[in-house]
Amino acid sequence: MTQPPIARYKQVAADLRAAITRGDYQPGQRIPASSELAERYDLTMPSVNKAIRLLATEGLVDIAHGSGTTVRERRPVISVSASYVTKHGDEARAQWSTEVNRHGMAGSQQIRQVDTVTPSAEVSGYLALDDDAHVVVRRRLLYADSNPVQLADSYYPAAIAAETELAESGRMPGGTVAALERLGYVLTRFDERVEARMPTHEEVGLMRLQPGTPVLRHLRVTYAAGDVPVEFSEAVMNAERHALAYQLPAEV
Amino acid sequence: MTQPPIARYKQVAADLRAAITRGDYQPGQRIPASSELAERYDLTMPSVNKAIRLLATEGLVDIAHGSGTTVRERRPVISVSASYVTKHGDEARAQWSTEVNRHGMAGSQQIRQVDTVTPSAEVSGYLALDDDAHVVVRRRLLYADSNPVQLADSYYPAAIAAETELAESGRMPGGTVAALERLGYVLTRFDERVEARMPTHEEVGLMRLQPGTPVLRHLRVTYAAGDVPVEFSEAVMNAERHALAYQLPAEV
DNA sequence: GAGTGGTCTAGACCACGCC
DNA sequence: GCGTGGTCTAGACCACTCA
């Protein structure tokens, strides 16, 4: 109730945050209208708005223009597992539809781009390419039940993928891992890296991300016999809909 | 330049975002003062402020009250690797100071709590405990060069850890993994899970997180011979300062 | 159409950081 | 002290949603 030390809209935000955390407002339930909150706290609407927007950027509420503001619901999480470590059958490989089916949803994908391009420095570095080398890029948008939830881009050295099915804009039976094996590459190891960040403006649009939703960024370099990098892939996922799972043996 | 269709402050945000992405304003560099932007775009300061706050929640800029607003710099990233998979010597285990040193920083930790408590349902579930079982919890705050960057909480079934060094509030020589082995447990596998989300208000305070900074959440269940869960750990990390690395053999 | 959130102004005053 | 961002009001008008 201090006046200047702490902004009043922050007090309102704190009150609402506590109420939500306490469970006074359940997920999916509406919080009071801004006009009502304005009256209750003796503030003007723009100030109350500020409080509510703050909670939205914290991922606590969803603001829907003409309808009200609701406590954000935890949507089903797709647990993507590094299954290629333990199993090896074709159907055990990390296939999008398989992963999504396991969670009772329908997986689908839209191939956004298949092209031969000059790689960025990052891609070039991960694939250990010469400066003048080109890559085949495959960009996909993955859906769970008609919701776009993941951007998956894969890169292959042109020396490996040009003129192969990897450079064609069709689906890959068995996934790209199978395609690489059909080309005679024996995969030996995967180097993975997981990061998180706020989405770019473009990613917000493509995956229809709400404010206050971060993305998981999953990078992977696939090596074939002789320690040759044959694929670099980057997946950017709606972090509210994804988790990554690893089963690691303690071993040796 | 359309008036009502797109909010003017969003236009300003878009302009600045493009300028930053283009590199017109370099990381660490100041963007024009709100007063100047207000004049340039013929808007009032509160509106310009809204644009700048939007960029802050996107993680693009840092707002410093009395000084200006600067383009956010990428801080050094601590790459935490699941090294226990491939190596096994004591010094190869995932030790905080070792990880941080590798990136040219000094690692330290503050032990926040060591206690025997009734576990949450989540912890109880991961450790496969009975309803009335207790756990020893160890809560730490990890620092990189005096910056608090990670919260690391570990839980052990009281049946395993009570009356042992794990229940004492001192440091563990060789880490808790070594402590478990000293207790006679042979570790067999790790189940890990990686998620990302916006930080709670408490986490913002403890790790001094800027607006627009998500956290990585890393969960791990450690199993000993007989598939007995002996440790559950939860690490919440400043996502701007961390990446998780995995080296996975293709195998079998 | 009633109700909800969104945007904006004009002007005021406050608070922080740095020189 | 100057310049920077922060907060707030009073009032206005707009835009979206749902009945």
Side-chain angles (χ1 to χ4, degrees):
Chain A
M1 294 302 169
T2 38
Q3 282 83 7
I6 293 187
R8 307 239 275 124
Y9 82 92
K10 283 184 182 166
Q11 294 275 333
V12 176
D15 272 14
L16 292 171
R17 191 187 294 118
I20 290 169
T21 309
R22 226 177 13 239
D24 293 358
Y25 303 117
Q26 293 289 322
Q29 197 184 329
R30 273 176 54 173
I31 66 172
S34 349
S35 52
E36 194 196 319
L37 291 171
E39 195 175 351
R40 184 185 303 179
Y41 287 97
D42 192 27
L43 273 172
T44 56
M45 287 213 20
S47 293
V48 170
N49 257 293
K50 222 162 154 181
I52 293 172
R53 279 172 157 255
L54 179 58
L55 296 182
T57 67
E58 292 175 0
L60 285 177
V61 299
D62 286 325
I63 305 175
H65 198 151
S67 12
T69 296
T70 53
V71 177
R72 190 176 288 194
E73 296 192 79
R74 290 212 136 289
R75 310 267 245 357
V77 169
I78 299 155
S79 181
V80 181
S81 62
S83 49
Y84 30 72
V85 184
T86 51
K87 298 190 183 167
H88 202 71
D90 264 322
E91 74 307 323
R93 291 224 183 71
Q95 288 282 87
W96 179 241
S97 60
T98 310
E99 300 280 356
V100 178
N101 287 165
R102 198 183 307 149
H103 298 276
M105 292 177 280
S108 61
Q109 59 171 302
Q110 175 206 337
I111 296 181
R112 298 203 301 138
Q113 184 192 9
V114 177
D115 234 333
T116 302
V117 300
T118 302
S120 68
E122 186 184 30
V123 170
S124 182
Y126 277 116
L127 287 174
L129 295 175
D130 291 335
D131 286 351
D132 57 348
H134 285 210
V135 296
V136 169
V137 57
R138 300 178 63 86
R139 285 187 211 283
R140 296 174 301 153
L141 179 54
L142 306 184
Y143 292 81
D145 273 353
S146 82
N147 306 118
V149 294
Q150 179 177 160
L151 287 161
D153 299 347
S154 300
Y155 302 84
Y156 309 87
I160 286 176
E163 315 279 314
T164 73
E165 57 179 325
L166 285 169
E168 315 257 314
S169 59
R171 299 191 55 182
M172 302 277 105
T176 54
V177 168
L180 285 168
E181 288 180 342
R182 279 196 289 276
L183 287 171
Y185 291 95
V186 178
L187 307 187
T188 53
R189 63 178 242 267
F190 305 92
D191 258 29
E192 306 203 356
R193 186 179 167 88
V194 184
E195 306 170 355
R197 57 167 170 75
M198 293 313 283
T200 65
H201 207 236
E202 190 192 3
E203 289 160 356
V204 168
L206 286 167
M207 295 190 274
R208 301 189 210 127
L209 299 173
Q210 298 280 345
T213 305
V215 290
L216 273 168
R217 183 165 183 250
H218 179 232
L219 311 179
R220 184 175 64 216
V221 184
T222 303
Y223 294 87
D227 233 28
V228 181
V230 291
E231 178 189 37
F232 169 68
S233 75
E234 172 185 14
V236 176
M237 324 179 215
N238 179 336
E240 290 208 326
R241 306 297 300 271
H242 292 272
L244 296 169
Y246 290 90
Q247 288 85 40
L248 308 172
E251 69 113 343
V252 186
Chain B
M1 298 299 167
T2 37
Q3 282 83 5
I6 293 186
R8 307 239 275 126
Y9 83 90
K10 283 185 182 166
Q11 294 275 332
V12 176
D15 272 13
L16 292 172
R17 191 187 294 118
I20 290 168
T21 309
R22 230 182 3 245
D24 293 357
Y25 304 116
Q26 293 290 322
Q29 197 184 329
R30 273 176 53 172
I31 65 172
S34 346
S35 52
E36 194 196 318
L37 290 171
E39 194 176 351
R40 185 186 304 179
Y41 287 98
D42 192 28
L43 273 171
T44 56
M45 287 213 20
S47 293
V48 170
N49 256 292
K50 221 163 155 180
I52 292 172
R53 278 172 159 256
L54 179 57
L55 296 181
T57 67
E58 293 175 0
L60 285 178
V61 299
D62 286 326
I63 305 175
H65 198 152
S67 8
T69 297
T70 53
V71 177
R72 190 175 289 194
E73 297 192 80
R74 289 212 137 291
R75 308 267 243 1
V77 169
I78 299 155
S79 180
V80 180
S81 62
S83 48
Y84 30 71
V85 184
T86 51
K87 298 191 182 167
H88 201 73
D90 264 322
E91 73 308 321
R93 291 223 183 72
Q95 288 282 86
W96 178 242
S97 60
T98 311
E99 300 280 355
V100 177
N101 286 165
R102 197 183 308 150
H103 298 276
M105 292 177 281
S108 61
Q109 60 171 301
Q110 176 205 337
I111 296 181
R112 299 203 300 139
Q113 185 192 10
V114 177
D115 234 335
T116 301
V117 301
T118 302
S120 68
E122 186 184 30
V123 170
S124 182
Y126 276 116
L127 287 175
L129 295 175
D130 291 336
D131 286 351
D132 58 348
H134 286 210
V135 296
V136 169
V137 57
R138 299 178 62 86
R139 286 186 211 283
R140 297 175 299 154
L141 178 55
L142 306 185
Y143 292 80
D145 273 353
S146 82
N147 306 118
V149 295
Q150 178 176 161
L151 287 161
D153 298 348
S154 300
Y155 302 85
Y156 309 87
I160 287 176
E163 317 279 316
T164 72
E165 58 180 324
L166 285 169
E168 314 258 314
S169 60
R171 298 192 55 181
M172 302 277 104
T176 55
V177 168
L180 285 167
E181 288 179 340
R182 280 196 288 277
L183 287 171
Y185 291 96
V186 178
L187 307 188
T188 53
R189 62 180 243 268
F190 305 92
D191 259 29
E192 306 203 356
R193 186 179 167 88
V194 184
E195 307 170 355
R197 57 167 170 74
M198 294 312 284
T200 65
H201 208 236
E202 189 192 5
E203 288 160 356
V204 168
L206 285 167
M207 295 190 274
R208 300 188 209 127
L209 299 173
Q210 298 280 344
T213 305
V215 291
L216 272 167
R217 184 166 182 250
H218 179 232
L219 310 179
R220 184 175 64 216
V221 183
T222 303
Y223 293 88
D227 232 28
V228 181
V230 292
E231 178 189 37
F232 169 67
S233 75
E234 171 185 14
V236 176
M237 324 180 214
N238 179 337
E240 290 207 326
R241 306 295 302 268
H242 291 273
L244 296 169
Y246 290 91
Q247 288 86 40
L248 308 171
E251 69 113 345
V252 184

